Amino acid sequence: MADYSKGRSEEELEAFYPNEILRHTLITFLFISAVMLGVLFLPESFQKATDEFASFQTKPPWFLLPFYHLSSLINNRVWYVSILVIYAITFISVPFLDRNTERRLWKKPIFFSIVIINILMIFVLGLTKYLQ
């Protein structure tokens, strides 16, 4: 394996975590905030773009069926968005929370059970929505 640190100063060898992760997160929040501000202050332009599709019924792709089924089970939009945000944050933070040196998933019983529960939950929610 090549050593990319040879001949480079400490400033050039900046750590990916947390520096680069923080930059990507801030840029992502900047773009999301820009879209939200555009919808907030220029709703007419976004409304015209969606009016032609208002009567068109679409079927979600197969990989989004579990999340559509979850939205039909939870009637409150704030709770639904909160659950999805917590789920996404948990998914992203799992590699940072796991400090075990073992790399094989089946040697980590807690994380292995979380993975199995998530796979089963997504499969069951998707299958029930598909059969409806």
Side-chain angles (χ1 to χ4, degrees), residues 88-107:
I89 289 172
T90 304
F91 179 75
I92 291 170
S93 66
V94 164
F96 301 108
L97 296 175
D98 184 21
R99 298 291 182 190
N100 194 351
T101 57
E102 183 63 45
R103 296 192 67 168
R104 283 173 261 170
L105 187 62
W106 52 85
K107 297 258 179 151

Side-chain angles (χ1 to χ4, degrees), residues 33-72:
S33 299
V35 170
M36 290 175 70
L37 288 173
V39 170
L40 183 65
F41 292 113
L42 304 167
E44 305 87 31
S45 61
F46 289 96
Q47 186 64 35
K48 284 187 268 181
T50 58
D51 275 344
E52 61 188 54
F53 297 108
S55 63
F56 183 67
Q57 288 287 14
T58 61
K59 186 176 180 184
W62 64 270
F63 52 86
L64 292 178
L65 283 177
F67 303 107
Y68 277 97
H69 188 57
L70 188 63
S71 75
S72 66

Side-chain angles (χ1 to χ4, degrees), residues 65-125:
L65 283 177
F67 303 107
Y68 277 97
H69 188 57
L70 188 63
S71 75
S72 66
L73 293 175
I74 301 172
N75 295 329
N76 189 347
R77 290 288 179 203
V78 174
W79 281 106
Y80 174 66
V81 170
S82 300
I83 288 172
L84 288 183
V85 166
I86 290 170
Y87 188 78
I89 289 172
T90 304
F91 179 75
I92 291 170
S93 66
V94 164
F96 301 108
L97 296 175
D98 184 21
R99 298 291 182 190
N100 194 351
T101 57
E102 183 63 45
R103 296 192 67 168
R104 283 173 261 170
L105 187 62
W106 52 85
K107 297 258 179 151
K108 304 175 189 181
I110 294 172
F111 288 109
F112 185 65
S113 61
I114 290 171
V115 167
I116 295 298
I117 288 170
N118 278 309
I119 289 172
L120 288 174
M121 181 188 68
I122 289 173
F123 180 72
V124 168
L125 285 173

